[in-house]
Amino acid sequence: MVNEKLYEKLAKLAVRKGVNVQKGQLLVVKAAADIAWFVRIVVKEAYEAGAEEVSVEWRDNEITRLGYAHRSEASLSLVPDWVRDREAYRQEKHACFLNIISEPPGGLKGIDEAKINAYQRAYHEKMGDLLNYTMNNLGQWCVVGLPSIEWARAVFPGLSDEEAFEKLADVIFRVSRVEEDNDPIAEWKAHDNALAMYCQRLNEHQFKELHFSNSLGTDLTVGLVENHIWVGGGCTTPQGVYFDPNIPTEECFCMPHRDKVNGKVVASRPLSYNGKVIEDFWFRFENGVVVEHGAGKEAQSLDALLAFDEGSRRLGEVALVPYESPVSLSGVLFFNTLYDENAACHLALGRCYPENLEGGVDMDKAQVLAHGGNDSMQHEDFMFGTRDMKVDGVKADGTIIPIFRNGGFVIGGEQENG
Ligand code: ZN
Ligand code: ZN
């Protein structure tokens, strides 16, 4: 039985370590309407931590579906000015953002892809530079998950509601490092330090490219931009506030060169995209661009993602995640990127993270592009890591350094291998 204390600990972790809300700061919480009981715990914790004001943006999947079903593409493309103005106001106030996810996958199943794209495009165009706030870590933000019965049903379809919920709750707390008798904040500090150590080792080598191979058929070379920075664990805002954008996180990630990706990658887990679950898919890259692809299920969603814009056919992120990570060991497929991306090495189609490039957060889009970074309205992670994943780092002089063997870190000192 999941007890109430765990929820309080999760709320505290999200508020005080995740977004790390500061005294006098504005906090915006985004959550599904049916988890209001948990959001109240979060809001109380945030005020106790010194937040000046906590506002909540509620969402409901059924209402979102009704909007898509009844509104035209033209109507969905009209994003009112006040949406942008509200965001601009919050950013001027240095607000922080906490997104709590609890929804089941496939929420938009059956909805016309063109309508979803029309809305997304209009939203991205309307928001413009304001999207950099979280992308460049200009303010604190965090995504955390909360178990729900609907989500549990999708993850454990063979079980009763109660059993499924218990199992999902158990695994979500475990991978979030929230236990009855531990101090989650202290655990996350230690974990952040471990990730920082691997990033430091990778940064010291400044690899020209990474070579991935496994028995699933992946044989891929990913060139990295020059002066790249591997990032893992928490981040620091320009105001000097340290925060953890994802709970959980297990990755060290970097910036691929948008023109220097070659070979084939086979996904090792399904991808939940725009409310559809794409399965058994693969890509073949030439000079950074996807030139061939295939999918066993929801192939048209994959087509839509690749066709979205120029940058959605190129990579913006490469991430190393040990196969022995807690999410991976749980053996659970969550149908949610927050968790699933932490089960395996992954790549992202679409825009890059400027923080992965020296001086990148101070560059404009054209400068990041000139350095080999990618730009797109999309950023879609997909998993390709496996138990037998082998990763080599190739240095500028051709030296090859083993990074991963059998799905775990082997790079660097005498430390244990992930
Ligand atoms: Zn990632
Ligand atoms: Zn990503």
Side-chain angles (χ1 to χ4, degrees):
M1 203 44 201
V2 174
N3 74 34
E4 216 161 288
K5 198 169 155 226
L6 287 177
Y7 290 100
E8 281 166 17
K9 287 178 97 165
L10 183 67
K12 188 173 175 180
L13 175 67
V15 167
R16 297 193 187 247
K17 182 81 175 88
V19 282
N20 190 11
V21 66
Q22 302 291 293
K23 282 205 168 46
Q25 204 175 13
L26 198 73
L27 171 66
V28 180
V29 180
K30 302 182 183 189
D34 53 10
I35 60 159
W37 62 273
F38 180 71
V39 176
R40 288 181 203 116
I41 301 174
V42 167
V43 171
K44 183 165 178 278
E45 186 69 37
Y47 280 125
E48 283 171 7
E52 162 73 23
E53 187 195 342
V54 184
S55 55
V56 182
E57 259 176 55
W58 300 107
R59 54 176 190 255
D60 177 79
N61 193 56
E62 200 42 46
I63 291 172
T64 305
R65 286 186 67 88
L66 286 167
Y68 276 121
H70 290 272
R71 296 176 66 190
S72 66
E73 257 183 67
S75 163
L76 286 160
S77 300
L78 291 173
V79 179
D81 288 343
W82 67 261
V83 173
R84 187 190 158 85
D85 294 345
R86 180 180 62 177
E87 183 67 16
Y89 168 84
R90 289 167 171 172
Q91 294 187 12
E92 272 162 35
K93 292 261 178 192
H94 297 295
C96 55
F97 295 85
L98 175 64
N99 189 8
I100 306 169
I101 53 165
S102 57
E103 292 98 333
L108 295 182
K109 200 173 189 327
I111 299 289
D112 182 2
E113 212 65 60
K115 285 188 172 183
I116 300 171
N117 273 1
Y119 169 74
Q120 277 205 355
R121 206 178 293 275
Y123 181 81
H124 279 82
E125 270 158 27
K126 178 61 86 176
M127 300 308 269
D129 288 351
L130 296 179
L131 295 171
N132 293 342
Y133 190 75
T134 50
M135 202 69 192
N136 289 354
N137 302 316
L138 302 177
Q140 311 110 268
W141 58 281
C142 175
V143 187
V144 69
L146 188 80
S148 68
I149 287 179
E150 295 74 19
W151 187 4
R153 263 181 216 141
V155 175
F156 302 108
L159 302 179
S160 71
D161 280 1
E162 293 92 304
E163 281 175 320
F165 179 79
E166 285 293 313
K167 272 190 100 157
L168 182 65
D170 180 69
V171 70
I172 283 182
F173 283 112
R174 184 154 23 96
V175 302
S176 306
R177 295 176 163 76
V178 174
E179 286 161 42
E180 295 197 24
D181 54 358
N182 78 341
D183 175 355
I185 293 177
E187 297 239 352
W188 275 94
K189 282 183 180 161
H191 181 53
D192 282 338
N193 288 340
L195 290 171
M197 177 194 72
Y198 284 119
C199 289
Q200 192 193 330
R201 290 178 188 174
L202 290 160
N203 285 330
E204 281 164 5
H205 283 292
Q206 280 294 308
F207 291 116
K208 182 174 74 119
E209 59 192 31
L210 308 177
H211 180 233
F212 293 88
S213 57
N214 66 10
S215 60
L216 211 57
T218 290
D219 186 356
L220 185 77
T221 301
V222 178
L224 300 176
V225 296
E226 271 181 50
N227 301 319
H228 56 254
I229 303 172
W230 286 89
V231 176
C235 306
T236 306
T237 67
Q239 285 77 35
V241 182
Y242 189 89
F243 67 102
D244 278 297
N246 284 194
I247 291 179
T249 182
E250 304 288 340
E251 64 175 334
C252 293
F253 64 100
C254 198
M255 191 188 292
H257 192 294
R258 66 194 300 276
D259 299 325
K260 296 183 180 169
V261 181
N262 286 288
K264 186 176 178 180
V265 58
V266 181
S268 56
R269 293 192 151 213
L271 165 65
S272 182
Y273 172 67
N274 277 355
K276 316 279 175 72
V277 180
I278 306 168
E279 292 182 46
D280 301 322
F281 60 101
W282 57 271
F283 303 106
R284 195 169 63 76
F285 288 85
E286 257 177 44
N287 299 324
V289 188
V290 174
V291 290
E292 226 184 315
H293 68 281
K297 260 190 200 156
E298 298 284 4
Q300 69 282 14
S301 281
L302 197 60
D303 298 343
L305 167 60
L306 291 170
F308 197 89
D309 56 26
E310 197 339 80
S312 66
R313 304 179 75 85
R314 296 172 186 267
L315 296 184
E317 180 193 349
V318 54
L320 300 174
V321 179
Y323 190 79
E324 300 283 307
S325 81
V327 179
S328 170
L329 289 179
S330 76
V332 173
L333 184 62
F334 293 83
F335 299 103
N336 188 295
T337 302
L338 174 65
Y339 296 91
D340 293 328
E341 76 159 347
N342 287 304
C345 291
H346 57 271
L347 299 165
L349 289 164
R351 69 179 169 273
C352 67
Y353 290 102
E355 64 179 313
N356 285 130
L357 174 63
E358 228 177 275
V361 293
D362 299 318
M363 293 179 188
D364 60 26
K365 270 182 189 168
Q367 287 171 306
V368 174
L369 276 175
H371 282 81
N374 192 31
D375 185 35
S376 168
M377 288 187 197
Q378 300 282 345
H379 176 97
E380 245 351 279
D381 295 287
F382 65 92
M383 274 44 78
F384 72 113
T386 52
R387 187 189 291 281
D388 66 346
M389 179 60 81
K390 178 180 168 192
V391 188
D392 282 325
V394 184
K395 300 185 70 151
D397 65 3
T399 315
I400 292 174
I401 308 279
I403 300 175
F404 257 48
R405 286 294 179 271
N406 297 316
F409 276 111
V410 292
I411 189 173
E414 40 293 301
Q415 303 287 333
E416 37 58 75
N417 306 330

